[in-house]
Amino acid sequence: MIKFVPIILPLVYGLVMFRLSAWRLNRTLKNQSSLLADKQLLKPIQLLANALDLESISVNIYEIEPVNGLAAPDGKIFITRGFYNKFTSGEVTGNELASVIAHELGHVALGHTRRRMIDFSGQNALRMALGSILSRVLPGVGGIVANVLSNLLMARLSRADEFEADEYASAIMIKSGIGVKPQISMFEKLEKLSGNNGNLQPAWLLSHPKTNKRIEKIQENVSKWDANK
């Protein structure tokens, strides 16, 4: 039994971290957000709701400046104050921001939000287990190697989620009557708006896919769907 302790402890630690992280994130979002009430922006959001046969979709504004959208573990959708300010200043259209919301709805519908929290806890468990094992084989650097390997694995899983959420968003944008042009133009603007400087890191190290790859995939999906009509 003792020999399994290095494996069991990381799993217990991962479960505790999952619970703590989900609770902390939900509390932060609740304390630092308010319900979106912009009538102009609510119009394209209602088109998304109609496409999903929903009465409405609640979107919250998260009071931070970085340009981003996110879906909480409990399924609530958020856009940041910084993103909303880009809309009010005319840098982003309502339909473009609706494509971001559609993307986050995809994360919820496809189970990514809860799985990402599990991935987070799993990543910590994996890092600890690998670190414990590799430290015996590679004294002094085993922990570093374990950290790199676990980060690469989680980044790859995250990129797959992003492509799936993009595809979901494209389908909803088409069904709503808005189409994918705003989704594509939003991606074209996003790097400049977020100060991402063209994703200078290698694509395989990024948790999000390269922007041009995401646009290509959207266009590929639309062509495939049109051919199957």
Side-chain angles (χ1 to χ4, degrees), residues 16-130:
V16 172
M17 288 301 297
F18 163 67
R19 296 292 184 184
L20 178 61
S21 297
W23 172 80
R24 184 183 298 163
L25 176 59
N26 284 330
R27 186 186 66 171
T28 299
L29 291 173
K30 180 179 180 180
N31 293 338
Q32 299 183 32
S33 65
S34 58
L35 192 65
L36 174 67
D38 189 310
K39 292 183 178 180
Q40 185 178 357
L41 188 52
L42 288 177
K43 290 180 180 179
I45 295 175
Q46 186 59 48
L47 292 177
L48 298 179
N50 295 342
L52 293 168
D53 295 323
L54 298 174
E55 184 175 339
S56 62
I57 294 173
S58 295
V59 178
N60 303 276
I61 297 181
Y62 182 23
E63 298 293 342
I64 62 173
E65 284 305 312
V67 172
N68 206 354
L70 61 99
D74 61 3
K76 291 181 180 177
I77 305 298
F78 296 81
I79 58 171
T80 63
R81 173 63 66 179
F83 219 153
Y84 178 69
N85 288 342
K86 299 299 182 183
F87 166 71
T88 57
S89 68
E91 296 176 75
V92 171
T93 69
N95 286 343
E96 287 172 339
L97 201 48
S99 75
V100 176
I101 294 166
H103 175 89
E104 298 306 327
L105 289 169
H107 282 311
V108 174
L110 297 170
H112 296 164
T113 51
R114 186 162 295 276
R115 193 170 75 210
R116 281 181 174 190
M117 294 305 295
I118 295 172
D119 285 348
F120 172 78
S121 62
Q123 183 176 4
N124 282 292
L126 177 63
R127 182 183 294 111
M128 288 185 67
L130 280 175

Side-chain angles (χ1 to χ4, degrees), residues 116 119 123 148-162 202-209:
R116 281 181 174 190
D119 285 348
Q123 183 176 4
V148 171
L149 290 176
S150 59
N151 285 343
L152 287 176
L153 175 60
M154 293 306 124
R156 182 172 183 177
L157 291 174
S158 182
R159 289 196 300 272
D161 285 353
E162 294 304 317
W204 50 274
L205 281 177
L206 298 168
S207 61
H208 282 58

Side-chain angles (χ1 to χ4, degrees), residues 12 37 72 83 124 130 136 142 152 174 183 192 203 223:
V12 173
F83 219 153
N124 282 292
L130 280 175
R136 299 177 185 179
L152 287 176
I174 291 171
Q183 186 183 17
K192 181 178 179 180
S223 297

